[in-house]
Amino acid sequence: MAEKASKLPAKASRGGARSEPGRGPGGLVPGRSGSSGPGSSGPGSGKSEAGGSEAGADSVGAWDDGLIARRVSEASAAEQAAVMETRVGGGGGNALPSAPLTYDGPLRSRLDALRELVGLSRARLDSRTLAEAGRVLDEAAARRRLSGQHTVVALAGATGSGKSQLFNALAGVNISETGVRRPTTSAPIACSWSDGASTLIDRLGIPGRLRRRPVQSQDAEAQLRGLVLIDLPDHDSAAVQHREQVDRVLALVDAVIWVVDPEKYADAVLHERYLRPMAGHAEIMFVVLNQVDRLPGEAAELVLDDLRRLLDEDGVALGEYGEPGATVLALSALTGDGVGELREVLGQFVAERGAAGRRIAADVDAAAWRLRPVYATGRRTGLSEEARDEFADRLADAVGATAAGEAAERAWLRNANRACGTPWLRLWRWQQDRRDPPTGRLPARAPADEEATARQRVEQAVRTVSERASAGLPTPWAQAVREAAVRGSHGLPEALDQLAARAGLPPGRPPRPGWWPVAVLAQAGMTLLQVVGGLWLLGQIVGVMAPNLGVPVLLMVTGIIGGPLVEWSCRLAARGPARRYGQDAERRLREAAAGCGRARVLDPVAAELLRYREVREQYARVTGVGAAAR
């Protein structure tokens, strides 16, 4: 039986196993099938696995598909029946312990970070951007619940590459159909070297009628114990559903064996559609150059070197000299040359039980790379203190903080002049105040043109601070920062107007320093001297008092000169307090304007920047590069 099984691949390639028109491969006997794909229906699709012997009996007979005529011998039918018995019997004690897959600490941390990243980003990114990351999380969770003792490996290749021959050669029995009619494989076929892999195969959507077990010796089966091998349809098949099945299964398996031939190893479809996008999955990839028996002399090595060169150009790391990467082999499934080496390498790969974890890690890397444009930036981001101060200054200018401080200073000086000035000057100023409005107060409402100018200044301040805060951010987060600033600016000019009215000059007169009473008394004394001197002179004129011009004139001159002198001295002394009073008024208005701007604009902008910082840190954990660069 072993000798016959070893000859099956060569026999199949020469005979060209065919399927009946309207039926696909996947049945027990080559040429008979119940369906062309998973979930499809057709004649015989309702048959159970136990009915395989009946299917084999039905297959014994001549049939002609118009291209190749072949009769299945009784010996071949008996051999296929043995395969069915082995598969249905469950392999006896060949079942592996049903232990779920476990991820190591770093991978668990990266998955948790990716889950947190997706959660934080849902309000800022559209579902299409996060779809791949969500799929990776779902597949990682689904794979973790399944067996960790089995490794699912897909055999993928182009039309005529001989992957079905290699599938049969690894299994040691003719399981998958081979032939010259294309496409030959129309649905994925699973072959498990140990029991307990049914849930893994269920996840791939492969029905029970397309599941097989190899017929091998105990030593050969132990070498690949835990392997679940999937024979895929041609990835370049003319049938769209075949390509869709390839893409679907490739996204679920733990590893891939790419089978190429000397004619199509440089096919652009293979490299651009599959190998280049999957360059990050090199550690779970095997690239097998099949049909080397067709190459004379050293041509096989030349083709193999050229294949390595193409893989290197695709960005696929090669596992050579102890480095992690894809394994590249040359073999002939027809003659068996090199198949043993592949079986040995594949056995070691399966025995490590690490392919599923490496596949998930590579999927996380790919998802992180796709998300890089919406998270990573090469520039320093955030809102600097300089930008905050400039924003506060612009708002202060909009509410007229500087003008308010100057007005407060003038009001203080005016009050000082009123208190310390001569009575005659105070009387004149009182008359002026009655005609003109006081200049030390802010009007209740600004004129229309000034109000429009203030609004434009506020809008310009908000626009400038939003541009500075969003500079260097990826587009979604920059847009979120700008939107937060615009939302906060609604009603800001009106709030600043109300704030200016409340935080302007306090009602009443400015506070007086302690020396003002002394100045008032001095000024009163100077006035009293003028009055006494004047009355004295008047008394002399009317003859009431004795003539003496010297003393009354001296008193009047002293009062007349001393009054302005006291006023001038008070004005000099009042400059410092007046300036401090004006600065204090300006500071209060600036702080009030800055507080209003901070609450309405800067805080929402800072919240968006903080959210971006959080997602940037989570993204750094996903990529495994440590803390995010600020």
Side-chain angles (χ1 to χ4, degrees):
M1 176 66 73
E3 180 180 358
K4 181 180 293 184
S6 65
K7 295 179 180 179
L8 280 175
K11 177 179 178 181
S13 64
R14 291 190 300 269
R18 310 304 300 169
S19 59
E20 297 183 33
R23 300 187 182 184
L28 179 62
V29 180
R32 299 288 295 178
S33 171
S35 174
S36 61
S40 61
S41 60
S45 61
K47 295 182 181 180
S48 64
E49 292 182 7
S53 59
E54 180 181 352
D58 293 342
S59 299
V60 179
W63 58 274
D64 187 358
D65 63 359
L67 295 176
I68 300 176
R70 183 187 62 180
R71 177 181 295 275
V72 180
S73 64
E74 295 181 1
S76 177
E79 181 177 346
Q80 298 298 333
V83 176
M84 175 59 71
E85 291 175 1
T86 303
R87 180 166 59 87
V88 175
N94 195 35
L96 288 174
S98 179
L101 178 65
T102 58
Y103 299 141
D104 58 15
L107 181 54
R108 286 200 305 271
S109 177
R110 295 180 65 193
L111 288 172
D112 292 342
L114 182 60
R115 189 174 298 106
E116 185 72 15
L117 180 67
V118 172
L120 290 172
S121 304
R122 289 194 184 280
R124 298 294 176 267
L125 304 179
D126 57 82
S127 57
R128 290 180 299 176
T129 303
L130 299 173
E132 179 62 18
R135 187 197 67 80
V136 171
L137 290 172
D138 293 342
E139 296 301 338
R143 183 63 180 90
R144 187 175 185 179
R145 291 191 294 266
L146 303 178
S147 173
Q149 306 300 314
H150 294 82
T151 302
V152 183
V153 181
L155 269 173
T159 303
S161 61
K163 56 181 176 56
S164 296
Q165 278 187 339
L166 182 58
F167 184 83
N168 295 335
L170 290 173
V173 64
N174 192 21
I175 293 178
S176 185
E177 290 190 47
T178 61
V180 298
R181 182 181 179 182
R182 305 297 178 210
T184 303
T185 304
S186 60
I189 301 174
C191 181
S192 177
W193 268 255
S194 54
D195 296 332
S198 58
T199 54
L200 281 171
I201 304 176
D202 290 341
R203 179 170 174 252
L204 302 179
I206 301 178
R209 57 186 174 77
L210 297 179
R211 304 182 187 185
R212 306 290 184 265
R213 286 292 299 275
V215 177
Q216 294 179 324
S217 64
Q218 292 185 355
D219 294 340
E221 189 166 350
Q223 187 179 27
L224 298 178
R225 183 177 174 84
L227 172 65
V228 179
L229 192 62
I230 311 297
D231 185 19
L232 296 178
D234 302 332
H235 66 73
D236 60 348
S237 173
V240 176
Q241 61 271 25
H242 293 180
R243 300 195 300 270
E244 292 176 348
Q245 290 186 69
V246 171
D247 295 342
R248 178 183 60 84
V249 176
L250 284 179
L252 301 176
V253 296
D254 300 329
V256 185
I257 300 177
W258 292 102
V259 183
V260 298
D261 61 83
E263 293 180 354
K264 293 185 178 181
Y265 73 92
D267 182 41
V269 174
L270 171 65
H271 289 270
E272 295 178 3
R273 180 179 173 86
Y274 294 102
L275 293 180
R276 197 168 298 164
M278 294 184 65
H281 297 69
E283 293 188 38
I284 59 164
M285 286 171 51
F286 297 79
V287 182
V288 174
L289 177 62
N290 191 18
Q291 302 176 9
V292 293
D293 57 294
R294 298 166 51 191
L295 299 174
E298 298 180 352
E301 289 297 329
L302 295 177
V303 173
L304 199 61
D305 289 342
D306 193 47
L307 175 59
R308 291 192 180 98
R309 178 188 62 81
L310 293 175
L311 293 174
D312 184 68
E313 292 178 356
D314 292 335
V316 178
L318 303 181
E320 299 175 343
Y321 310 107
E323 296 293 330
T327 301
V328 182
L329 298 173
L331 55 81
S332 173
L334 181 63
T335 63
D337 184 23
V339 175
E341 181 183 0
L342 174 61
R343 185 181 288 111
E344 180 180 356
V345 173
L346 194 57
Q348 295 176 356
F349 179 79
V350 172
E352 293 174 358
R353 304 287 190 263
R358 289 198 291 269
R359 170 61 194 262
I360 297 299
D363 286 345
V364 172
D365 289 338
W369 180 255
R370 292 189 182 96
L371 292 174
R372 182 177 179 81
V374 298
Y375 292 116
T377 175
R379 299 176 58 184
R380 184 181 181 88
T381 59
L383 199 57
S384 64
E385 289 298 327
E386 180 183 358
R388 293 173 181 270
D389 293 342
E390 182 179 347
F391 178 67
D393 291 340
R394 288 176 179 268
L395 293 185
D397 291 340
V399 298
T402 302
E406 295 174 353
E409 182 178 352
R410 290 194 301 269
W412 207 98
L413 290 174
R414 186 179 184 84
N415 194 28
N417 291 334
R418 287 197 182 110
C420 303
T422 63
W424 329 116
L425 185 60
R426 292 171 61 186
L427 181 61
W428 178 78
R429 286 174 178 167
W430 178 73
Q431 292 292 336
Q432 293 293 325
D433 290 343
R434 293 191 62 181
R435 292 197 303 266
D436 302 327
T439 58
R441 301 292 176 183
L442 291 176
R445 292 188 60 85
D449 55 345
E450 294 183 4
E451 184 176 355
T453 302
R455 180 179 294 274
Q456 292 173 358
R457 289 178 178 177
V458 172
E459 293 175 352
Q460 178 65 25
V462 173
R463 185 161 52 249
T464 301
V465 77
S466 65
E467 290 175 356
R468 292 198 174 187
S470 61
L473 292 176
T475 302
W477 304 101
Q479 181 66 23
V481 168
R482 288 191 290 268
E483 291 177 354
V486 170
R487 287 194 303 269
S489 67
H490 293 161
L492 181 59
E494 292 77 7
L496 290 175
D497 288 342
Q498 298 176 4
L499 180 147
R502 293 195 306 268
L505 295 179
R509 294 182 176 181
R512 297 178 177 181
W515 52 264
W516 275 23
V518 177
V520 172
L521 289 176
Q523 194 64 262
M526 296 299 104
T527 303
L528 183 61
L529 289 177
Q530 295 179 47
V531 173
V532 170
L535 291 176
W536 197 336
L537 289 176
L538 182 62
Q540 292 180 9
I541 293 173
V542 298
V544 176
M545 299 182 66
N548 186 4
L549 295 177
V551 175
V553 171
L554 179 61
L555 291 177
M556 290 186 64
V557 170
T558 302
I560 293 172
I561 297 176
L565 184 62
V566 170
E567 182 178 358
W568 178 77
S569 300
C570 291
R571 183 175 298 179
L572 289 180
R575 287 182 179 179
R579 185 178 299 109
R580 289 192 295 271
Y581 181 75
Q583 291 174 349
D584 184 63
E586 180 181 355
R587 178 185 55 79
R588 289 197 307 269
L589 193 53
R590 282 183 177 275
E591 290 178 353
C596 183
R598 181 172 56 253
R600 287 178 171 267
V601 177
L602 293 185
D603 286 350
V605 168
E608 292 297 333
L609 292 175
L610 180 60
R611 178 185 290 269
Y612 171 71
R613 180 179 178 181
E614 291 177 356
V615 299
R616 186 70 178 89
E617 291 175 352
Q618 294 298 332
Y619 179 75
R621 289 181 55 199
V622 172
T623 57
V625 298
R630 303 292 187 271

